[in-house]
Amino acid sequence: MKLLRYGPAGQERPGVLDAVGNVRDLSGVVDDIAGAVLRPLGLARLRELDIETLPIVAGVPQQDLRLGPCVGRVGKFICIGLNYADHAAESGMEVPAEPVVFGKWTSAISGPDDDIEIPYGSVKTDWEVELGVVIGQGGSHIAETDALSHVAGYCVINDVSEREYQLERGGSWDKGKGCDTFGPIGPWLVTADEVPDPQALRLWLEVDGHRYQDGSTATMVFGVAQIVSYLSRFMSLQAGDVIATGTPPGVGLGQKPPVFLEAGQVIRLGIDGLGEQTQCTVPAVAPVAQRQTALFE
């Protein structure tokens, strides 16, 4: 199944994509693509539905029908850094002996085609296409051999990052990762039964038509099962938690010279079988205090 959420920001309704690309409304069945709906029993009940009997939603998804983040009420947005050896090399960092773990704030989450705001004063906003893993069955101290059974499904994530905030402003990476709009998720959540091998997926990203990233999850340092098991040692994983599993080489920071995003650009990215995203970059509105000061200059 390809589960999704459609409609205006903050008012998304649950849906599912049918065999010919129509969105079918699920709001008469579930309240959201979130929580218990993502657990094995919840997904099993959705699979029993005759999708063709559900109401068709008007519009073409990702054209005249906005899609929101494919998961609602996300509890944790966990990220893994430097999880491709060649990306670590282009960043000038060593391949980690254990997964590098950091967080994105849930307020960063946005729809797959929503605008990305370049933060006010930013000079180093960057892109990162990543495989997203959504937890279904929660747990702690999950065995690696059992880890994939805890996955509800997979999705595309753009782990947008402000490198100056991340690397040059002290403290952890988090401050460069969680700006508003820095977490596009979707277009849909592809349930795990439709992804036979999460370590055999091609992922790519373009800016203004130029292909910067073109990689495969086969080259991850730590695979999905390892990551889920590892994280569960340090926190309980819960239904609807989202994990961004790292990015292949080709980020702006790794270009020679580095290339960073500016307002007015178009980003396209995708993962085979999981869909595509398209975002326009726009300037973030100046802080209120700055706007008020400008009135008197």
Side-chain angles (χ1 to χ4, degrees):
M1 292 182 294
K2 292 181 174 65
L3 301 174
L4 55 88
R5 300 168 72 246
Y6 69 92
Q11 303 175 44
E12 291 93 348
R13 297 163 67 95
V16 60
L17 198 70
D18 70 16
V20 295
N22 294 315
V23 171
R24 300 278 182 158
D25 181 52
L26 280 173
S27 60
V29 181
V30 296
D31 69 336
D32 204 352
I33 307 299
V37 172
L38 297 169
R39 294 177 185 145
L41 182 58
L43 293 178
R45 287 172 175 165
L46 291 181
R47 290 191 188 96
E48 292 173 356
L49 296 173
D50 181 354
I51 290 177
E52 300 303 316
T53 66
L54 297 172
I56 293 178
V57 178
V60 178
Q62 299 188 275
Q63 294 185 25
D64 56 352
L65 176 62
R66 175 188 177 271
L67 298 185
C70 59
V71 181
R73 304 196 299 269
V74 175
K76 293 190 288 293
F77 195 170
I78 311 161
C79 300
I80 306 299
L82 305 175
N83 198 30
Y84 290 72
D86 32 14
H87 171 56
E90 73 174 352
S91 301
M93 300 179 184
E94 294 183 1
V95 175
E98 296 188 36
V100 174
V101 181
F102 61 92
K104 289 177 87 82
W105 319 128
T106 56
S107 55
I109 293 173
S110 58
D113 307 306
D114 292 347
D115 291 344
I116 289 175
E117 297 179 0
I118 306 297
Y120 183 77
S122 165
V123 293
K124 296 183 179 180
T125 298
D126 204 347
W127 57 82
E128 295 188 10
V129 59
E130 306 201 6
L131 172 65
V133 175
V134 178
I135 296 298
Q137 182 63 48
S140 60
H141 296 279
I142 297 167
E144 188 175 323
T145 53
D146 190 42
L148 292 185
S149 69
H150 288 256
V151 174
Y154 302 91
C155 61
V156 182
I157 293 176
N158 189 354
D159 176 18
V160 186
S161 309
E162 213 296 346
R163 302 301 187 188
E164 183 192 22
Y165 299 175
Q166 176 189 357
L167 302 172
E168 302 173 32
R169 302 287 290 271
S172 69
W173 287 4
D174 299 349
K175 68 179 69 171
K177 294 287 188 171
C179 300
D180 290 353
T181 75
F182 272 25
I185 298 177
W188 24 76
L189 172 66
V190 180
T191 51
D193 57 300
E194 294 192 6
V195 183
D197 185 358
Q199 306 308 147
L201 301 173
R202 174 176 162 269
L203 60 173
W204 55 272
L205 182 144
E206 299 175 350
V207 179
D208 290 340
H210 179 82
R211 180 69 58 96
Y212 282 99
Q213 293 188 275
D214 201 343
S216 169
T217 57
T219 64
M220 282 183 180
V221 178
F222 306 103
V224 172
Q226 290 174 286
I227 290 169
V228 171
S229 175
Y230 182 84
L231 290 174
S232 74
R233 301 179 202 172
F234 305 99
M235 67 193 81
S236 63
L237 295 176
Q238 298 158 342
D241 286 347
V242 176
I243 305 168
T245 57
T247 197
V251 300
L253 179 67
Q255 305 303 307
K256 301 187 184 304
V259 176
F260 297 111
L261 293 167
E262 301 176 351
Q265 296 185 292
V266 176
I267 306 169
R268 290 185 62 246
L269 60 150
I271 301 178
D272 286 356
L274 303 186
E276 299 183 7
Q277 301 181 353
T278 303
Q279 296 118 19
C280 297
T281 55
V282 299
V285 176
V288 173
Q290 180 70 23
R291 296 201 305 273
Q292 290 174 341
T293 300
L295 292 175
F296 300 97
E297 291 179 350

